[in-house]
Amino acid sequence: MAIYYTKEHEWVKVEGNVATVGITDFAAHQLGDITFVELPKTGKSVKQFEVLCAIESVKAASDIYAPLSGKVMSVNEALENTPEIVNESAEEAAWMACLEMADPVEVGKLMTRDQYDEYLKGL
């Protein structure tokens, strides 16, 4: 299992051919209190860096991008009724979707935790 990050502040945990996606603690903090999460439909196919779903907070509405191409296998339905989980546990309990990866080579376009931490220092 490995975790990677995007410049748009999504994280993705890769286990075999399954990629679990969410937003980072940094993004959750920047958004403020999360009020709504629009989850993707199961079976939807997405390409890397295309819009996967959306999230709304008291400050703004934001698109969430797919870190990797693939097909949505499952979504975290708990977020529909309790979107505040994103503020409480963005990088664990608040995962948003699991994708069946289409091209594992795309992982090479993502950042490691150390690279992401360096990226944050530059913001």
Side-chain angles (χ1 to χ4, degrees):
M1 172 183 70
I3 301 176
Y4 301 94
Y5 300 86
T6 70
K7 289 183 177 181
E8 300 297 325
H9 310 290
E10 290 92 10
W11 58 264
V12 58
K13 181 169 59 177
V14 176
E15 295 177 285
N17 197 34
V18 177
T20 304
V21 179
I23 65 169
T24 65
D25 287 331
F26 176 83
H29 180 75
Q30 292 294 310
L31 287 167
D33 293 335
I34 304 299
T35 57
F36 181 73
V37 178
E38 181 184 341
L39 297 168
K41 300 250 186 263
T42 303
K44 175 182 178 177
S45 291
V46 292
K47 296 211 179 281
Q48 188 176 34
F49 305 132
E50 285 185 352
V51 174
L52 174 65
C53 58
I55 193 166
E56 293 180 20
S57 71
V58 293
K59 292 182 179 178
S62 300
D63 289 331
I64 307 299
Y65 299 95
L68 299 167
S69 300
K71 183 176 176 181
V72 177
M73 299 169 50
S74 60
V75 297
N76 186 352
E77 294 176 357
L79 296 177
E80 292 177 338
N81 295 323
T82 52
E84 62 272 18
I85 295 172
V86 177
N87 294 111
E88 297 164 2
S89 181
E91 296 191 26
E92 292 184 25
W95 62 275
M96 295 179 181
C98 286
L99 305 175
E100 180 181 11
M101 291 193 323
D103 185 0
V105 173
E106 292 176 343
V107 169
K109 298 177 183 175
L110 304 175
M111 293 183 280
T112 64
R113 183 70 208 201
D114 288 346
Q115 291 169 326
Y116 181 68
D117 287 343
E118 281 299 313
Y119 174 70
L120 291 179
K121 289 178 186 175
L123 298 181

